[in-house]
Amino acid sequence: MKTTYTIDPAHSSANFSIRHLMISNVRGSFSNVTGTVTYDPDNLTNSSIQAEIDASTLSTGDSQRDGHVKSPDFLHVEQHPKIVFQSTKIEKTGDNEFKVTGNLTVHGVSKPTVLTVEGPSSESKDPWGNTRIGASATTKIKRSDFDLVWNAPLETGGVLIGDDVKIELELSLVKQQAAAA
């Protein structure tokens, strides 16, 4: 049976890490993740995921770095305020494991991307009477594929920022009530 859930932005997050100075990873997050998940466990072709991230909510724990990443050198948040994922195919790969293929749009550039998804969890009721499920997703992208190419060479060789970006999503989803007939 097909069921629709909305992503609860207050209890969901998009996190990332990227190599910095070629020696360690810098982590960051986006706090406003929204969207809709339609899930039909009996017929995955009826399932879909659409998610948006408010790029202005980026936080790396350093306000100067955050300002630079939001600037035209990187995300250019004023021109590209949303990061969007729209699924095109969902495949079951194991018990509560899925491969979700879709189009990821970052910085105005769309590229096919594959998410490895764990979940959904079993449904449970929250204290306010809502039915919820949860899921986690991971992927790795190259920032250069999305025209995010700003960098600086290091005196000792190498570059300031790596090209690989690891992405992790933690989603809490609220079941939508069926419309009355």
Side-chain angles (χ1 to χ4, degrees):
M1 181 171 124
K2 184 164 76 168
T3 307
T4 300
Y5 300 85
T6 55
I7 297 170
D8 176 1
H11 298 98
S12 300
S13 64
N15 306 294
F16 65 91
S17 65
I18 189 166
R19 187 65 90 191
H20 182 254
L21 293 171
M22 308 216 24
I23 58 172
S24 65
N25 288 313
V26 168
R27 298 187 185 286
S29 64
F30 296 93
S31 60
N32 192 8
V33 182
T34 60
T36 304
V37 174
T38 301
Y39 180 55
D40 185 344
D42 299 321
N43 184 358
L44 289 178
T45 60
N46 288 333
S47 299
S48 64
I49 299 169
Q50 187 277 327
E52 288 188 357
I53 297 169
D54 179 347
S56 72
T57 66
L58 173 123
S59 175
T60 65
D62 181 282
S63 61
Q64 185 175 357
R65 179 175 46 225
D66 294 352
H68 189 206
V69 176
K70 293 176 189 178
S71 80
D73 282 345
F74 290 100
L75 293 177
H76 203 178
V77 171
E78 284 185 25
Q79 280 193 355
H80 309 289
K82 300 282 184 195
I83 297 168
V84 178
F85 179 81
Q86 179 65 56
S87 68
T88 56
K89 183 179 183 182
I90 300 175
E91 302 168 87
K92 189 168 182 68
T93 58
D95 288 341
N96 264 9
E97 294 178 0
F98 297 87
K99 178 175 139 181
V100 179
T101 303
N103 294 311
L104 177 64
T105 303
V106 179
H107 191 240
V109 177
S110 294
K111 294 286 181 182
T113 303
V114 177
L115 300 175
T116 300
V117 177
E118 291 181 26
S121 65
S122 298
E123 285 187 342
S124 65
K125 291 277 187 186
D126 68 20
W128 305 275
N130 297 306
T131 301
R132 291 180 178 264
I133 60 172
S136 300
T138 59
T139 193
K140 186 161 80 169
I141 62 171
K142 293 202 174 292
R143 66 184 182 93
S144 59
D145 288 345
F146 296 90
D147 292 338
L148 299 170
V149 295
W150 184 94
N151 220 332
L154 299 175
E155 185 178 305
T156 56
V159 291
L160 184 65
I161 305 166
D163 195 29
D164 292 335
V165 182
K166 294 177 186 173
I167 299 170
E168 299 175 342
L169 302 165
E170 292 296 332
L171 302 175
S172 178
L173 304 123
V174 178
K175 185 177 186 176
Q176 298 306 290
Q177 300 302 321

